[in-house]
């Protein structure tokens, strides 16, 4: 069973996955998210607009400044810059217009803030974040709370759940009934990542997305993306962030994924 392999093996899995599903650049992937076909010029114009919106995200700039003693000096350059996966995540939410978003792992609340900012710009949608910080974690050690960077004005679209994912995620998904955008950024072990993807997938509707950060900890995302139906698309940014877009049903179950778990 592929698991915690070296970088060369993981790169090989990524290459095989992209050959199967078709690697797409940012604009190509974003164009597949629109409910009706758009011209390349329109998609590029929207892409430019969304990157500008990120640069104008004053709420997050303010909280980063407030907690600067806990943040890396180049943090703002990362979250607001154009050379990371951040603009792609933000633009995806803006175009997809999800109603229900689930995030596993929250930590500083960087990703939660970006998602919430996009939802606020969309004037629709709600984010559910599930996270449980362990004793000795740097956030708890510094008497901070998960999501401490989330701007106050965006919290009306946010539900934070302080609970263990193993027990909370299945019940949350069952309660919600569907998830338009699912984002993994918690335990990056192979078994846990695969469990999250498999647990969330039955709740992803047509047009829904499974996204994952930190792809290169192991081969879980690649195994998942290689064995789901051929009608899916995959993209990545910086070889560390991936998205899979559901194009059609029927819903895949554990039997379909076979021996990768």
């Amino acid at each position: 069973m592929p698991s915690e392999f070296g970088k060369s093996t993981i790169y090989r899995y990524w290459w095989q996955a992209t050959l199967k599903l078709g690697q797409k650049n940012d604009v190509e992937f974003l164009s597949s998210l629109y409910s009706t076909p758009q011209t390349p010029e329109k998609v590029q114009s929207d892409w430019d607009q969304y990157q500008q919106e990120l640069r104008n995200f004053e709420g997050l700039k303010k909280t980063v400044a407030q907690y600067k003693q806990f943040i890396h000096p180049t943090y703002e350059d990362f979250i607001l810059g154009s050379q990371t996966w951040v603009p792609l995540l933000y633009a995806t939410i803006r175009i997809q217009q999800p109603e229900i978003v689930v995030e596993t792992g929250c930590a500083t609340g960087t990703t939660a803030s970006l998602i919430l900012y996009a939802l606020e710009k969309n004037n629709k949608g709600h984010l559910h974040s599930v996270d449980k910080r362990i004793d000795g974690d740097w956030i708890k050690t510094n008497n901070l709370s998960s999501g401490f960077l989330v701007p106050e004005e965006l919290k009306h679209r946010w539900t934070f759940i302080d609970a263990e994912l193993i027990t909370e995620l299945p019940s949350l998904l069952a309660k919600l009934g569907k998830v338009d955008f699912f984002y993994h950024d918690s335990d990056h072990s192979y078994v846990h990542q695969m469990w999250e993807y498999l647990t969330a997938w039955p709740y992803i509707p047509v047009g829904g997305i499974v996204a994952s950060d930190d792809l290169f900890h192991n081969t879980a995302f690649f195994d998942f993306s290689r064995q789901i139906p051929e009608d899916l698309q995959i993209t990545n940014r910086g070889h560390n962030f991936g998205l899979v877009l559901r194009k059609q049903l029927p819903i895949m179950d554990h039997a379909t994924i076979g021996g990768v778990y």
Side-chain angles (χ1 to χ4, degrees), residues 97-246:
Q97 299 272 315
E99 295 180 353
I100 301 173
V101 182
V102 170
E103 172 196 34
T104 63
C106 184
T108 64
T110 301
T111 304
S113 298
L114 296 164
I115 292 172
L116 290 166
Y117 185 50
L119 296 178
E120 187 69 8
K121 287 287 188 180
N122 291 345
N123 198 30
K124 63 183 293 188
H126 196 88
L127 169 64
H128 303 261
S129 300
V130 185
D131 193 23
K132 184 72 172 179
R133 311 313 297 182
I134 62 175
D135 291 339
D137 176 88
W138 73 272
I139 291 178
K140 292 188 69 173
T141 301
N142 287 284
N143 295 316
L144 300 170
S145 301
S146 294
F148 63 86
L149 288 180
V150 174
E152 194 66 34
E153 63 270 20
L154 297 178
K155 290 184 177 179
H156 66 104
R157 295 192 180 275
W158 189 39
T159 298
F160 176 76
I161 303 169
D162 183 10
E164 296 287 351
L165 277 161
I166 293 296
T167 55
E168 183 61 32
L169 184 59
S171 60
L172 174 64
L173 294 173
K175 177 182 177 181
L176 295 174
K178 71 158 188 172
V179 177
D180 301 305
F181 190 97
F182 179 85
Y183 181 76
H184 161 82
D185 194 14
S186 59
D187 178 355
H188 295 311
S189 67
Y190 181 95
V191 170
H192 184 85
Q193 283 185 237
M194 187 62 76
W195 174 78
E196 279 198 16
Y197 304 146
L198 291 174
T199 301
W201 188 249
Y203 296 91
I204 305 297
V206 172
I209 288 173
V210 169
S212 187
D213 192 16
D214 296 315
L215 301 186
F216 278 79
H217 282 264
N218 57 63
T219 63
F221 188 79
F222 315 120
D223 290 338
F224 176 72
S225 63
R226 287 188 311 137
Q227 299 196 37
I228 48 184
E230 292 283 349
D231 62 322
L232 301 175
Q233 299 173 353
I234 188 170
T235 189
N236 83 305
R237 175 62 93 108
H239 300 290
N240 207 35
F241 174 73
L243 307 99
V244 174
L245 170 66
R246 181 161 218 158

Side-chain angles (χ1 to χ4, degrees), residues 54 57 60 79 85-86 89-90 110-118:
L54 269 181
F57 191 179
L60 188 54
I79 58 178
W85 51 263
V86 169
L89 169 65
Y90 178 79
T110 301
T111 304
S113 298
L114 296 164
I115 292 172
L116 290 166
Y117 185 50

